[in-house]
Amino acid sequence: IGAVQLDGGAWRALAGATRIRETGGGIGVEGASDGLAWRVTYGVTAPGLITKAVTLDASAECVLTRAAPAAFASEAEQDIAATSLQDIAAFLVKGDRGMFVSLDFPYSRIVTEDGMTRVTYPPNDPLAAGEAYACHTVTFGATRPTGEVRYGRDTGEVAAMEAYVQGRFTPRFD
């Protein structure tokens, strides 16, 4: 479901006792483990796009060093689209179908360690006991790889990513 690093420690999966619940606009999952409660909600934001929101509730004072609202293991072929400053999205392809995962925030690092891929960012926010922290959302988008590559990217993946950016973020200029 996701993972966090508290106080600079090891990655902690958002796992443990869970329950599924209905939310105002979709479905959610909640759980708690090791002094940290969490809520995850999913919603369809446009055709082919699902956005995931994670909220954390600390039971003791801590520092949220890194957040990974998306953490997954995959058998699909993975490729990370990146610039020299940041990672943009993880693309996963299996056969003639694919998807991307992208953090809805201007900075992310996408890392694969120990078979887990994590879409991360460094909040470095102190949390007081009982304080809620809303992580930046991530969006999962469907892609249809075409096999045609331009400038190093499959044109089907480019089209899906362009539709996501144009629909999810208000243009700042014409």
Side-chain angles (χ1 to χ4, degrees):
I1 287 183
V4 295
Q5 284 182 339
L6 299 178
D7 300 319
W11 281 109
R12 297 170 48 173
L14 300 180
T18 60
R19 72 182 186 120
I20 296 174
R21 61 182 175 78
E22 287 188 43
T23 63
I27 195 160
V29 180
E30 57 187 26
S33 64
D34 300 325
L36 185 68
W38 47 269
R39 294 179 306 284
V40 177
T41 57
Y42 299 89
V44 176
T45 50
L49 298 177
I50 295 174
T51 298
K52 173 185 174 185
V54 177
T55 303
L56 307 171
D57 293 303
S59 61
E61 188 175 296
C62 63
V63 175
L64 178 59
T65 310
R66 293 195 66 75
F72 54 90
S74 174
E75 296 175 5
E77 181 183 328
Q78 292 185 51
D79 183 35
I80 308 301
T83 69
S84 61
L85 298 176
Q86 70 165 3
D87 297 337
I88 299 167
F91 286 91
L92 296 94
V93 177
K94 190 153 189 172
D96 65 346
R97 297 183 184 203
M99 67 180 282
F100 68 82
V101 182
S102 183
L103 185 69
D104 299 331
F105 183 66
Y107 177 81
S108 68
R109 280 287 173 228
I110 302 171
V111 295
T112 301
E113 302 169 317
D114 303 323
M116 290 295 295
T117 299
R118 295 178 184 93
V119 179
T120 74
Y121 70 98
N124 290 313
D125 282 342
L127 303 178
E131 181 180 359
Y133 176 84
C135 295
H136 293 289
T137 57
V138 290
T139 296
F140 299 81
T143 66
R144 179 75 66 177
T146 63
E148 180 184 346
V149 176
R150 286 194 193 146
Y151 304 106
R153 304 262 19 125
D154 184 279
T155 58
E157 293 174 341
V158 171
M161 196 69 187
E162 179 184 28
Y164 154 67
V165 171
Q166 295 295 321
R168 186 88 168 102
F169 303 101
T170 305
R172 296 184 202 196
F173 52 88
D174 291 329

